[in-house]
Structure formats: structure tokens, C-alpha cells
Amino acid sequence: MSTATIEPSTTDNADVTRRDVLKGSAAIAGLRIAGTAGLSALVAGTAGAGQAVAEPSRPNIVYIVADDLGWADVGFHGSDIATPHLDRLAAEGAPLDQFYAQPMCTPTRAALMTGRYPLRYGLQTGVIPGAGAYGLPTDEYLLPQLLKDAGYRTAMVGKWHLGHAKAEYWPRQRGFDSFYGALVGEIDHFKHASHGVPDWYRDNTPLEEEGFDNTLFGDEAVRVVTTHDQEKPLFLYLAFTAPHTPFQAPQDYLDRFKHIPDENRRTYAAMISVMDDGIGRLVETLTARGMRDNTLIIFQSDNGGVKSSLFAGDSKVSGGLPADNDPYRDGKGTLYEGGTRVAALVNWPGKINQGVAGGMMHVVDMYPTIAGLAGAPLGRNKPLDGMDVWQAIAESKPSPRTELVYNVDPMAGAVRRGDWKLVWKAALPPKIELFDLAKDQSEADDLSGSNPEKVSELQDRIIELATEMAPPLLLMDAVRLTFFAPMVSGDPSALFNQGD
């Protein structure tokens, strides 16, 4: 399919090129631009009542991801953990009340980058482990590639976790003009290493550097904005490692939370505070450079907070797990709401109605939504699962999404249609649960026994998706390590001394 690309403006005002495209019907006819409704809403002015209609403009885009943040662990959801900078973004923007991610790190990041459910390309099971030789398949056309081709400068800061074994999987080779951070899923926050192996890079070059990683990520994001040439719009993907294990934080932040008696909760809170301060510095820098009014900021957690040690990560955790997902059930690694319904917000001054946007949305929706706002034509990407939800965010209109796929893999699946949600554990012993989320957001009342037709309908949908899914790459890699890795043998001299 042939598509045109909107080239960046060479004038002092990058809006001119975008405005000319919007005015030219012939040009529009030659483009497949995602989110036409979103662009129309933007041109008409999506600001609150009484505000002036804004000129159409391709925004700078700052996409921020927290790592294992509990739903209730931000101030705008009532937490006792102070997050003043996030709270201000939420108060002046739109908190997303029904925003969903995948149950774990790698799948969510893949869904964001592709606009497609991870079951489509084998990343639906688990996360990429340190010994994993696979990554996000290179035939996927990622969000940074899309935006770069549309004239954006693209920068990534933080945690990648979409492939580290081969350089072809790394951020610089996947559409980012610059990269600073870690490739794997979990590192020591001060040593910048995983299992003693350093994992800290600038672009494709290993870097030795001291400091707490999340503080450094905030500093680097500020540097990216400070040095940005505003002839091009900016896409900054800022992926913190807070508050993922190991629970570590600088002493001055720990001192802020001396009143919290539980050590893990105290450290967890300190990690969130480091992230929040980094976001605050970033917003201040955007303002100082005159970029704030035309910058779309999106914030989300990659999954719910950890409630089971099975999903806590590589580090051994002594004591209780501190995340709070109330009122939702369970947490990271599960298909319940506590694992998948995450803290999220969107902020763009003058372009978004202030107040909670309550419609159902999924992280895959961000790809077409951002593409529409950026004037980035679709066509090189594979078929999307995401939908343009800009009007639901900006104007508080109903979300176009009526179905949501939590995940489908060989062992389990969950889907939601309307308010009905089915969780199906297919591995032995099997278990089926049906919930009406409109009446039971905590998933306490299983209605499967009294609604067999609804169970059958949603099971059929899961089976349909299962027939479409790619084999899980984690399981394929496990087969490789089990049957094709070299034999591990003892030292021959030691064996000789063992006798017969």
C-alpha cells in the first residue's frame, strides 16, 4: 500500500506544513492518517468550554512509564505517598479511570510500541529473561519508527526490556535517535547491573556511571529537552525503573518517609518520590523552553503493583510486598483488575477537558491515537488492535472500545465485552470466572454458574484469539535452552576422584 509521508516544516513555524496538509483536500485524499476524528476534534478545539480554538499543531509527545506501580500508590488516587507533580498533571488534565495494560513488563511495552496485542507476535507469556535470546520481532513497525518517519526527533530514556541479546533488538535500531538506560528487565538501581553484569548504555555504547538510576533518568530527560532543536517536534519515551525491585532509594528520599514503619513500604514510597520529582523537573524544563503548551504528556504504569513474590522479579524480597492496588483484586502477573488496570493520565494544556476520562482504553490504543495527533500516516504497520481514543480522552466522549483482551496464552486467557469479564485458567486444574465489573469492580462475585451463555460467548472469543496467536517466544526459548544448549559437565579430574 502506498502512503505519503508528512515532511517536517523547514520554516520557523512547524504548524504551517501541518495546516497546509489539513487544508488541501487532494493531499488528504492521498494519506491514510490514523485518528481522523482525533485530528478533527483538535482542529475544532478540544479545550474546555469558553476557551479559544487552538491552531492545529503537531505536539511534542512525552510518554512516561512507571514500573510495577500500584493503582492506589499515587496521590490522585488517594495515596499517602506524596506525588505532587503527578497530581498536578492529573488535576490539570485527564486521569484515565479504565486504562488497561498487559499483566507484566515486556508485554505492555511491546503493546505500546506496536499497537498490537502481544499474542500476535509471541510476547504474551512472561517477560524476556536475562538469558533470553529473543526480542520484539524486527518486522514490527514500532511507534518511534512511525514518528521518526513523520519528522519527529525520537529519544528514549530508561528501561527497554524488549530484547537485549542482539543489537538488532536495541532501541537505536528500532527507531530511536538516542537511547540512555538499561536493556534488561531488572537492574541494581545503584550498580546498574543485572546478576553482576553491567547493563547501562548511551546509544549502543556501554557506559560506566555512578548514581541512582531513576534520578539519572530524570536528569537525562531534562537534558534531552534542554538540547532539543525545536525545528522538529519531540517524542520522548521515559521509562523509569521505579518502583520495581530491588527496593532501593537514596538516603535523602528515605528520610522523607521516616514515618512509614515498614521498611519495604518506606523504600517503595521513596522510589516513587524520586520518579515524581524527575517528572516535575522535566515539566519545569518544558515550560522554561516554551514547549509546555504544545506538549502532550501521557503517564501510565506498565502493570499493577506486585502482590505475589512469584512476580516480584529476580531480587529476593524479605518482608511484605508494599504495593497497593485497592480496590482491585490481586496484582502484577495476573489477569485480574489489580494486575491490568493501571494508574494513568493524559495532560496537554488547553487541549483536554479537565476531569476523569472514564471510558475503557488499552495501551494498544496509544499507537493510533498518537499517530493521529502527530499526522503520522499508517500503512507500514501490521493490522492494529488499537483504536484512536483521542475524543474519549480530550472531550470525555464515550470510548469507541467495547471489547478488551487482557491476554491469551496457552495457559490462560481473559476478555471483557462491555462490563462482562471472563477469566479462564485453561491449564489443569482449570478454572472459569465471570464478573460484572459494573457491579463488582473487585471481582469478588463469580457469576459463571448463573450465566452459561455469556461464559460460552466469551470462551468462544478466547478460543478464536488462541487460533490466531503466535507461539510464545519464552516457551520456544525454554525449549532451546533445554534441548539444544551444550551439555553441562563436571570437571574431569574431580569426576576421576569420585571412584566407581
Side-chain angles (χ1 to χ4, degrees), residues 153 155-158 178-181 200-203 207 209 213-227 236-238 240 278 281-282 285:
R153 189 254 168 140
M156 187 198 162
V157 177
S178 64
F179 167 61
Y180 172 86
W200 198 251
Y201 292 83
R202 181 173 296 282
D203 297 327
L207 180 66
E209 191 172 33
D213 58 354
N214 289 287
T215 301
L216 295 174
F217 293 151
D219 292 345
E220 178 69 10
V222 167
R223 189 197 68 80
V224 168
V225 171
T226 300
T227 59
L236 170 59
Y237 173 44
L238 173 56
F240 288 97
R281 295 198 307 276
L282 175 59
T285 307

Side-chain angles (χ1 to χ4, degrees), residues 114-179:
T114 63
R116 289 157 44 82
Y117 291 130
L119 65 91
R120 306 290 186 197
Y121 39 84
L123 289 180
Q124 70 273 48
T125 301
V127 299
I128 300 176
Y134 62 96
L136 179 57
T138 56
D139 60 350
E140 295 286 340
Y141 185 58
L142 305 191
L143 180 61
Q145 294 172 304
L146 175 84
L147 293 174
K148 184 175 181 178
D149 288 345
Y152 274 70
R153 189 254 168 140
T154 58
M156 187 198 162
V157 177
K159 169 179 169 177
W160 178 235
H161 209 187
L162 290 174
H164 56 273
K166 299 177 182 178
E168 65 194 58
Y169 296 135
W170 296 8
R172 281 298 306 278
Q173 285 66 256
R174 306 307 299 271
F176 285 106
D177 292 318
S178 64
F179 167 61

Side-chain angles (χ1 to χ4, degrees), residues 462-487:
I462 291 174
I463 292 170
E464 179 185 10
L465 289 162
T467 63
E468 300 172 359
M469 75 176 179
L473 293 173
L474 176 65
L475 302 184
M476 302 297 287
D477 213 41
V479 170
R480 175 187 65 83
L481 290 171
T482 301
F483 295 105
F484 299 101
M487 181 181 71

Side-chain angles (χ1 to χ4, degrees), residues 254-273:
L254 292 171
D255 291 342
R256 292 187 184 183
F257 297 94
K258 288 180 179 179
H259 60 282
I260 299 179
D262 180 79
E263 181 179 358
N264 284 349
R265 179 73 176 175
R266 181 166 62 250
T267 308
Y268 176 84
M271 296 174 76
I272 293 171
S273 189

Side-chain angles (χ1 to χ4, degrees), residues 39-86:
L39 283 171
S40 299
L42 180 58
V43 174
T46 58
Q51 294 180 334
V53 174
E55 288 289 338
S57 178
R58 296 197 299 167
N60 303 301
I61 300 161
V62 174
Y63 205 111
I64 305 171
V65 177
D67 200 353
D68 292 2
L69 177 69
W71 166 271
D73 291 324
V74 288
F76 62 92
H77 285 166
S79 178
D80 60 342
I81 298 173
T83 55
H85 303 292
L86 283 172

